[in-house]
Amino acid sequence: MYDLLILYNPRYQSDLIDAHLAVLRQKGKVAFGKVRVKNNDMAHPFKSELEKLYASVNEKDFLHLFITDYANLYVAKVVKITHDDASADAPSYYKDKNLAVESWFIITDMRELFRDDFAAIRDNFLSMITTPLRGNHTYAVYGNNYVYPLIIEQKSPEQYFSPSELCYKNIYKSEEYLKTKDYLSRFCFDSLVEAMSPDSVDNVISAEIEFEQNKQNPLYDFSSVIVKYSKTMERELYGLFCALFDFLAYKQESILRVSYSVQSRNYTLEDIFEHKPNLGTYAFLVRNSRINSVFESYTPKKIKDAIKYEILPFIAKLQDIRNENVHGKSATLVEAKQLRELILGIACASSLALCVRLKKEISLL
């Protein structure tokens, strides 16, 4: 299958890539619009060929859409191309600026190939693509009259996307960040890292980098390391218990009316899907007689035992460590190591990996 190349001008929308990435991270997909150029009624010279290409695109036979301003280059995994309105899955600026969109490219992944380097793009990408509908000539950087989207073909076809990893999560990350992520994936979480929220991944990697940089300094305050590790767990625990309570409510809807309070504010279990509670609330809810009856009756034994005997005790340990450092007390290396070992699974099972795995298992029930 051919690929497509499209140009963008950051002067018209300075955060164009960032805006699309934000939606992609939130929804798992984003609509990228080919905006109709004002005062330009020229028809695309290869419209019929484009339409045939558009019609052939699906999740299995996805298309590579290369997006560039000549200084930066990205490649997107496009699983659908439509002329129907897809602005609900696009950044708000399309509607805010009342932009006329010719076609929407539905993107499920994206990679950054070059950043602030025209020479590298020219020498390593543009010189390596041809224009098959224009005599199959190598892309002409200067003096061309191309109309975009431009159908292109790679001289040496490369597969940029893997079904086992989402590349957009690594855009704009430093080499140190990517090395740390690779290390944690290999030795701690394996493919489970892809099931974590982007914020959780960012926090655990940032905590690990800071820990490694300062573990030889006996005077260093590790409070921020503990906060980052804790935020990772709080986010994934929230995902786990939302999945659990959703499953239990499916079995017995009446438990959604069970009440609880957080910081003097009253809620029912139905609210938990919109309002993240504090850590202690999870144990309180699981032990509530009405919820616990459903929990004991319908939860598979392996999952039930893991929550009762591993997850809830871990939450208690996490609370103890956090409470030691919320009143301005500096966190020591020993405290940081204790939490790190529990989360990463050093000389024990990883509580974070268990949390993510249980969430996945419950979602399949």
Side-chain angles (χ1 to χ4, degrees):
M1 181 186 288
Y2 292 143
D3 303 319
L4 288 179
L5 174 66
I6 199 166
L7 304 183
Y8 73 94
N9 190 335
R11 288 185 297 175
Y12 296 129
Q13 186 65 39
S14 60
D15 67 341
L16 182 145
I17 297 297
D18 290 343
H20 286 84
L21 276 174
V23 177
L24 181 56
R25 287 179 172 131
Q26 179 184 18
K27 293 189 171 184
K29 66 178 180 179
V30 63
F32 181 95
K34 169 58 178 73
V35 177
R36 183 176 297 110
V37 180
K38 291 183 179 179
N39 304 318
N40 185 351
D41 296 326
M42 182 175 66
H44 197 292
F46 301 105
K47 183 173 176 59
S48 62
E49 288 83 357
L50 269 181
E51 293 299 332
K52 289 178 182 178
L53 183 60
Y54 291 176
S56 69
V57 175
N58 54 57
E59 292 198 12
K60 181 180 178 182
D61 298 313
F62 59 85
L63 175 140
H64 288 115
L65 174 66
F66 293 92
I67 306 168
T68 186
D69 63 351
Y70 288 129
N72 306 280
L73 177 65
Y74 304 86
V75 59
K77 179 181 180 180
V78 176
V79 299
K80 181 181 179 182
I81 304 172
T82 180
H83 299 301
D84 298 332
D85 181 24
S87 57
D89 293 320
S92 60
Y93 75 78
Y94 286 97
K95 281 189 174 180
D96 296 342
K97 295 185 175 183
N98 198 29
L99 298 177
V101 175
E102 297 176 356
S103 308
W104 291 100
F105 298 85
I106 309 303
I107 294 168
T108 58
D109 203 1
M110 185 182 293
R111 285 183 65 176
E112 179 186 37
L113 301 182
F114 296 100
R115 184 189 308 177
D116 296 327
D117 198 338
F118 165 71
I121 294 173
R122 179 195 62 204
D123 298 340
N124 298 294
F125 174 70
L126 297 177
S127 67
M128 299 300 294
I129 59 175
T130 62
T131 54
L133 302 184
R134 291 175 173 267
N136 210 36
H137 297 299
T138 297
Y139 183 90
V141 178
Y142 307 103
N144 69 63
N145 63 344
Y146 299 143
V147 180
Y148 297 87
L150 179 67
I151 295 176
I152 62 171
E153 188 170 20
Q154 301 177 63
K155 293 180 180 178
S156 299
E158 183 169 348
Q159 178 55 260
Y160 288 95
F161 298 103
S162 164
S164 62
E165 181 181 12
L166 291 172
C167 302
Y168 72 80
K169 296 180 179 181
N170 296 330
I171 290 184
Y172 301 142
K173 302 305 184 184
S174 67
E175 184 177 350
E176 183 178 27
Y177 179 102
L178 296 177
K179 285 183 177 179
T180 304
K181 181 181 179 181
D182 181 66
Y183 173 84
L184 293 177
S185 298
R186 286 172 178 267
F187 300 106
C188 301
F189 309 126
D190 198 20
S191 60
L192 290 173
V193 73
E194 298 301 327
M196 298 179 196
S197 77
D199 287 344
S200 296
V201 176
D202 282 349
N203 276 316
V204 73
I205 291 175
S206 179
E208 188 65 7
I209 290 172
E210 185 177 348
F211 177 85
E212 290 294 336
Q213 289 174 341
N214 297 283
K215 63 183 181 181
Q216 303 299 329
N217 182 358
L219 301 179
Y220 190 75
D221 180 2
F222 286 87
S223 295
S224 65
V225 174
I226 286 179
V227 168
K228 291 171 186 174
Y229 281 132
S230 299
K231 283 184 176 180
T232 297
M233 287 307 309
E234 288 168 6
R235 177 64 186 82
E236 295 307 317
L237 285 165
Y238 179 59
L240 166 61
F241 282 98
C242 279
L244 175 65
F245 294 137
D246 182 62
F247 166 72
L248 297 180
Y250 176 78
K251 296 298 184 181
Q252 187 168 315
E253 187 179 2
S254 64
I255 65 170
L256 292 174
R257 294 186 286 276
V258 170
S259 61
Y260 65 96
S261 63
V262 177
Q263 297 179 338
S264 301
R265 292 191 62 179
N266 296 323
Y267 299 94
T268 63
L269 185 61
E270 189 172 19
D271 297 318
I272 203 168
F273 305 104
E274 299 294 333
H275 302 279
K276 185 172 73 171
N278 56 34
L279 288 172
T281 302
Y282 300 128
F284 172 82
L285 289 172
V286 169
R287 291 164 182 158
N288 173 277
S289 58
R290 289 169 61 189
I291 296 175
N292 188 258
S293 175
V294 185
F295 175 70
E296 293 289 346
S297 298
Y298 295 103
T299 308
K301 186 176 187 304
K302 183 179 177 181
I303 295 176
K304 181 167 56 181
D305 288 349
I307 290 173
K308 289 196 298 185
Y309 304 123
E310 296 181 73
I311 294 297
L312 293 183
F314 168 78
I315 290 176
K317 293 178 183 177
L318 178 58
Q319 287 179 289
D320 289 342
I321 295 172
R322 281 295 304 271
N323 291 341
E324 284 289 318
N325 297 280
V326 294
H327 301 297
K329 175 181 173 292
S330 296
T332 65
L333 173 62
V334 172
E335 291 168 326
K337 287 179 67 176
Q338 180 186 1
L339 184 56
R340 176 176 180 263
E341 289 169 0
L342 291 172
I343 291 175
L344 301 188
I346 300 173
C348 64
S350 165
S351 296
L352 177 54
L354 175 62
C355 185
V356 177
R357 186 165 58 251
L358 289 174
K359 179 178 67 175
K360 290 184 66 176
E361 290 176 1
I362 293 172
S363 69
L364 297 174
L365 294 177

